[in-house]
Amino acid sequence: MTTALLILLAVAAVPALLLGVRPVRRAVLTRPVFRLYRKVLPQMSDTERDALEAGTVWWEGELFRGRPDWNALLAYPKPQLSEAEQRFLDHEASEACRMADDWDITQRRHDLPPELWNYLKQKGFLGMIIPREYGGLGFSAYAHSEVIARLSTRSSALAVSVMVPNSLGPAELLLHYGTEAQKNHYLPRLANGDEIPAFALTSPWAGSDAAAIPDHGVVCRGMWEGREVLGMRVTWDKRYITLAPVCTLLGLAFRLYDPDRLLGGEIDIGITCALVPHDHPGVETGRRHQPLGAMFMNGPTRGKDVFMPLDFIIGGPERAGQGWRMLMECLAAGRSISLPSSNAAMAKYTARTVGAYARVRSQFRVPVGRFEGVEEALARIGGHTYLAEAARVMTAGAIDLGAKPSVVSAIVKYHVTERARQVVMDGMDVIGGKGICLGPSNFLGRAYQQAPIGITVEGANILTRSLIIFGQGAIRCHPYVLDEMRAARDGDPRRGLDAFDRAFWGHVRFTAGNAARAVWHALTAGRLAGAPDKAAPAMQPYYRSMTRYASAFSLMADLCMLLLGGSLKRRERLSARLGDMLSQLYLASAVLKRYEDQGRPAEDAPLAHWAMQDALYRLQQAARGVLDNLPQRGMAALLRVALFPWGLPQAEPRDALGQQVAQLLIAPGAARNRLTAGCYLPDSVDEPVGALEQALAATIAAEPAEARLREVEKRGALDGDPRANVRDMAEAARSAGLLSDEDYRLLRQRDALRDRVVRVDDFPFDLGAEREAASTRPATTQPQTRVA
């Protein structure tokens, strides 16, 4: 059937594109295509339709058109914090970090300390997204993202405890859909921490397929506050619900039925969202989950035939059955901020700490960061971190511009968490044995342990890549496909034909023009593609390559949809590769935007070049994967010749560029500070990060003295002295009068800090965490802190 549709399209396109063809004649040509389209169009449920139509289209739409307007990208305002937001980040957020001792939280308390919980409530951390008129902080999406990022560089339990109340849940749903009575009652209480929210969606029987939840409610009459009211009896069994063990206000998603038609409508009303107090009769809070040792509160919640009035529905009875649309419409903002912020921060933290460690730690009398194998890992750490942070900032900025980019939120959720996972794995490889022994001085072990959490939640990454990014993007971002689908489903065939005619021939012109453009850019290797005059000259070749790849992607996406039709949905690997192409275009756009917004700093150029070359290489490989696996081999061969006549042009970043990136990570400077901006940095040497920062400074200060000491060794002046080893050589040289007092002082200071950094923790044989907590770290009194 798709072949027939392709033939009809080709035959009809020739006369329709001629200027003399009038709309009435064109409609005659469209009619057989319209009939076939209606016949082959797969059925779509209401929940699928709500998911597809949710949110808005932003920059990803420009990429999908194949003609991105780079001037428009660069004209988007750079996200900025207000004075109040900056003050909160510098003071309240940093103070919350100071109060959080992650080892104490994970090993002894298994929770945030009470004083920290109180601080978070009193200072408004739980109400950052709630407007000031309801007592909240009224922060921008960018400020919200910055706070989550700062907290994430200190403790996952701290970050998640703040993240969840400000993400998709009761507060956001109330803001958009709540009745005035619900807003006035709950929002001030959520803002000041009198209520701690959780939102229960995931069911043991319907994890990723959230729309298939078996949790249900039945409309009925019952007693409430001494009188009979119209309500519902709800039964649910949820798990993985963050903050459920401590929440006081439970948001609940379930399917509502009205078998007696007490509401006068359908029997199956649909998914509904309600707010239920935790102490409401029948609500059961289960025991805690323990997500890979992370100590944010998470657990199950249940209820059986729990009666609640219809007023519990968010938005009141009028919103019954609209829960899925509500959730899909609000998902873009939360998914664009929470996990991208926390995982970009994890990458920045890794770049900062592992870079320092690679300069402090020496093997074979050379800093490990200067070995080519380690440089390779450091280059990936730096490049992925630069890209992840660029995507985080640009996407948060889009939310503040009023966008609700559902496809972009899926892109950044998937790719930022995946790159952060790679960054942490590379970091663990660099620090070696230091990383595998958990304890208070291990600065990376918990991040490695808990990285899969970000991969799993808010849409599992496998599902997000294989079904959502392109599956939703192909319809939502394409300029004509959604209009064609709506027209084909129109109950009035005549009206549907008219709408289809307009969309279909617009699609034909779009595809023909894009095909010509893609082939032209391929033949000229993109050298004649447009690049914004205001862009940095060194980056202009990337803009041209991006234009070339965008047109190629747009054509390939169109042809794959045409050739495979509804079966493309089942070809998840092919869909995933098309999604990878769109994703890399978006991520590379963010890199270019970041470089311009930060003023084109010359020191950062290696980071931007590495990130761009890596993204374009991945994009090219995804395109190759599509062509290698397209079932229509003739079309695949034709596309390969048309789009890549000179072969695959983009190589991976070269070793010399990777070396430049690696050296930026191991040397204090403006580039390193910009790359890791926002990390919480304790000054105390009793903190592992504080010790690293001081050890890095001491190592660099001692390097001239170290060079003089090596000269003494090379001359053989210390031969025969048993102290002439890597640990005691400075002592031997000083005793022999071959090392000045100042050099000796610098080397001993370096050695003391180095030894503190490379030390690993040990414990009693029974691993008595409670007893060890007081003895493994020296007591300190509110150390001073700073931020990168």
Side-chain angles (χ1 to χ4, degrees):
M1 286 189 290
T2 56
T3 303
L5 182 59
L6 181 59
I7 294 172
L8 282 170
L9 173 62
V11 171
V14 175
L17 291 173
L18 298 177
L19 294 176
V21 175
R22 294 184 300 174
V24 63
R25 294 180 181 174
R26 197 177 65 187
V28 172
L29 295 171
T30 307
R31 188 171 287 110
V33 181
F34 178 62
R35 290 172 179 167
L36 183 59
Y37 198 99
R38 285 169 63 95
K39 185 176 180 180
V40 303
L41 190 66
Q43 293 296 316
M44 185 179 297
S45 67
D46 290 341
T47 53
E48 287 180 304
R49 187 177 299 109
D50 288 343
L52 280 174
E53 298 183 359
T56 61
V57 177
W58 187 58
W59 179 248
E60 72 279 22
E62 283 286 312
L63 298 171
F64 217 105
R65 288 176 181 271
R67 301 180 65 181
D69 183 349
W70 299 113
N71 288 313
L73 174 71
L74 299 183
Y76 290 134
K78 176 185 176 182
Q80 300 279 3
L81 297 177
S82 68
E83 289 186 11
E85 290 168 343
Q86 186 66 62
R87 189 165 51 250
F88 185 92
L89 186 66
D90 291 341
H91 297 286
E92 281 81 357
S94 292
E95 176 63 11
C97 289
R98 186 199 65 78
M99 296 173 69
D101 180 333
D102 194 63
W103 182 254
D104 178 66
I105 290 168
T106 55
Q107 293 299 117
R108 189 168 68 87
R109 295 182 184 275
H110 310 301
D111 189 10
L112 302 181
E115 58 272 20
L116 181 51
W117 270 116
N118 290 335
Y119 184 81
L120 297 177
K121 295 174 184 178
Q122 293 167 7
K123 297 300 181 179
F125 281 87
L126 308 188
M128 289 189 293
I129 67 170
I130 297 175
R132 292 182 178 276
E133 56 263 36
Y134 294 106
L137 296 179
F139 278 0
S140 63
Y142 178 57
H144 172 194
S145 176
E146 287 283 291
V147 172
I148 296 301
R150 176 72 54 81
L151 303 182
S152 297
T153 63
R154 182 61 168 174
S155 166
S156 63
L158 171 62
V160 173
S161 298
V162 172
M163 181 193 305
V164 169
N166 292 287
S167 185
L168 178 61
E172 187 170 11
L173 292 170
L174 281 169
L175 284 169
H176 289 90
Y177 309 106
T179 66
E180 287 304 311
Q182 288 173 337
K183 291 179 183 179
N184 291 330
H185 175 75
Y186 282 119
L187 289 178
R189 297 175 59 79
L190 288 165
N192 64 25
D194 287 345
E195 300 279 9
I196 297 179
F199 191 82
L201 174 61
T202 307
S203 161
W205 298 275
S208 294
D209 187 10
I213 52 175
D215 313 290
H216 61 275
V218 177
V219 178
C220 61
R221 295 189 178 277
M223 299 300 296
W224 176 249
E225 295 182 341
R227 58 190 178 90
E228 187 179 74
V229 299
L230 194 59
M232 48 196 173
R233 292 201 175 276
V234 184
T235 297
W236 72 93
D237 186 354
K238 307 284 192 179
R239 68 180 178 190
Y240 310 142
I241 310 306
T242 303
L243 296 189
V246 295
C247 83
T248 63
L249 184 63
L250 181 68
L252 186 63
F254 56 93
R255 183 172 289 276
L256 185 61
Y257 297 90
D258 187 10
D260 297 327
R261 298 186 186 275
L262 296 176
L263 298 180
E266 299 292 329
I267 292 176
D268 184 354
I269 296 175
I271 292 177
T272 300
C273 295
L275 292 179
V276 188
H278 77 291
D279 55 359
H280 185 75
V283 176
E284 299 178 21
T285 300
R287 303 196 302 171
R288 287 179 64 175
H289 301 315
Q290 189 179 138
L292 294 176
M295 288 302 150
F296 57 85
M297 289 291 177
N298 188 281
T301 175
R302 306 178 188 89
K304 183 173 178 59
D305 292 331
V306 177
F307 181 80
M308 54 188 76
L310 293 179
D311 288 344
F312 278 23
I313 296 174
I314 297 176
E318 296 79 14
R319 291 284 183 180
Q322 298 182 28
W324 188 247
R325 177 171 287 275
M326 291 158 59
L327 291 170
M328 292 300 99
E329 289 176 348
C330 289
L331 179 62
R335 190 167 60 183
S336 295
I337 294 174
S338 297
L339 289 170
S341 300
S342 59
N343 281 262
M346 185 192 303
K348 291 193 294 183
Y349 172 85
T350 304
R352 184 90 185 185
T353 56
V354 173
Y357 189 90
R359 184 69 172 268
V360 171
R361 184 71 158 120
S362 292
Q363 295 286 276
F364 308 104
R365 299 183 180 179
V366 177
V368 298
R370 300 200 189 281
F371 287 95
E372 287 198 0
V374 174
E375 285 180 340
E376 186 177 9
L378 290 175
R380 287 194 298 266
I381 291 172
H384 291 329
T385 298
Y386 189 88
L387 180 143
E389 177 71 355
R392 174 190 78 87
V393 172
M394 188 168 98
T395 306
I399 303 299
D400 285 328
L401 292 175
K404 294 182 178 179
S406 54
V407 176
V408 162
S409 73
I411 289 172
V412 293
K413 188 276 173 182
Y414 172 80
H415 286 279
V416 172
T417 57
E418 287 292 346
R419 290 187 185 237
R421 173 161 65 172
Q422 181 64 57
V423 164
V424 173
M425 289 173 64
D426 280 328
M428 288 289 284
D429 285 351
V430 172
I431 67 176
K434 171 72 177 181
I436 64 173
C437 295
L438 279 177
S441 66
N442 187 329
F443 54 87
L444 198 57
R446 291 297 185 190
Y448 177 81
Q449 186 178 21
Q450 296 165 17
I453 297 173
I455 302 299
T456 303
V457 301
E458 288 194 8
N461 276 13
I462 289 178
L463 171 74
T464 300
R465 176 175 177 261
S466 61
L467 290 178
I468 295 177
I469 293 176
F470 185 76
Q472 186 173 4
I475 297 173
R476 197 69 181 88
C477 301
H478 195 285
Y480 297 104
V481 167
L482 186 58
D483 290 339
E484 290 170 338
M485 293 176 64
R486 287 170 173 163
R489 290 196 173 93
D490 196 312
D492 183 337
R494 178 173 295 181
R495 183 178 61 196
L497 177 60
D498 290 342
F500 185 82
D501 181 73
R502 291 189 297 273
F504 179 74
W505 292 109
H507 192 162
V508 169
R509 289 190 296 272
F510 166 77
T511 303
N514 206 40
R517 188 167 51 252
V519 172
W520 171 249
H521 288 324
L523 288 172
T524 60
R527 291 187 178 90
L528 301 181
D533 294 335
K534 295 181 180 180
M539 298 295 153
Q540 291 199 2
Y542 296 128
Y543 289 96
R544 297 188 180 98
S545 293
M546 293 273 285
T547 298
R548 173 191 175 177
Y549 279 119
S551 61
F553 162 72
S554 185
L555 179 62
M556 291 172 67
D558 249 333
L559 291 177
C560 285
M561 287 188 285
L562 183 64
L563 292 168
L564 299 174
S567 69
L568 182 57
K569 180 179 178 180
R570 297 187 297 275
R571 295 181 181 272
E572 295 178 20
R573 282 174 284 195
L574 204 62
S575 178
R577 294 185 183 104
L578 288 164
D580 288 343
M581 293 182 70
L582 177 61
S583 297
Q584 297 305 329
L585 285 167
Y586 180 81
L587 297 171
S589 299
V591 170
L592 294 172
K593 173 71 169 162
R594 175 180 183 175
Y595 190 69
E596 292 295 330
D597 281 353
Q598 291 191 330
R600 308 177 187 175
E603 305 97 323
D604 294 8
L607 292 161
H609 283 298
W610 196 100
M612 285 301 304
Q613 292 174 26
D614 178 72
L616 291 176
Y617 178 77
R618 289 169 182 247
L619 192 160
Q620 175 185 271
Q621 294 307 106
R624 179 178 182 174
V626 172
L627 298 178
D628 285 348
N629 293 279
L630 191 65
Q632 289 79 6
R633 300 310 303 149
M635 179 59 74
L638 180 62
L639 284 173
R640 193 184 302 275
V641 172
L643 300 180
F644 300 101
W646 317 118
L648 300 175
Q650 183 63 52
E652 292 183 276
R654 293 187 179 277
D655 293 347
L657 178 60
Q659 185 178 54
Q660 293 176 45
V661 172
Q663 296 312 303
L664 291 177
L665 266 62
I666 68 173
R672 180 172 181 259
N673 289 339
R674 277 189 294 269
L675 180 67
T676 63
C679 288
Y680 173 77
L681 302 176
D683 275 343
S684 171
V685 73
D686 296 319
E687 295 268 6
V689 177
L692 265 172
E693 291 288 303
Q694 294 190 35
L696 176 61
T699 296
I700 293 171
E703 282 178 350
E706 177 72 19
R708 287 188 283 273
L709 181 61
R710 294 299 168 212
E711 285 299 318
V712 170
E713 180 187 18
K714 288 178 182 179
R715 295 200 309 266
L718 299 176
D719 288 352
D721 191 328
R723 295 174 298 174
N725 57 60
V726 68
R727 185 188 63 198
D728 303 321
M729 189 173 296
E731 190 70 39
R734 182 169 180 263
S735 298
L738 300 173
L739 194 66
S740 71
D741 289 344
E742 177 60 15
D743 282 353
Y744 178 75
R745 183 189 68 79
L746 289 171
L747 290 169
R748 293 303 294 169
Q749 183 180 33
R750 188 246 359 232
D751 290 347
L753 288 165
R754 178 201 61 199
D755 292 348
R756 180 182 285 271
V757 164
V758 302
R759 182 186 67 196
V760 297
D761 303 286
D762 52 47
F763 303 92
F765 291 144
D766 62 356
L767 293 176
E770 291 288 342
R771 295 191 298 275
E772 194 67 21
S775 60
T776 53
R777 182 178 301 175
T780 59
T781 57
Q782 298 194 3
Q784 297 296 309
T785 59
R786 59 192 175 94
V787 176

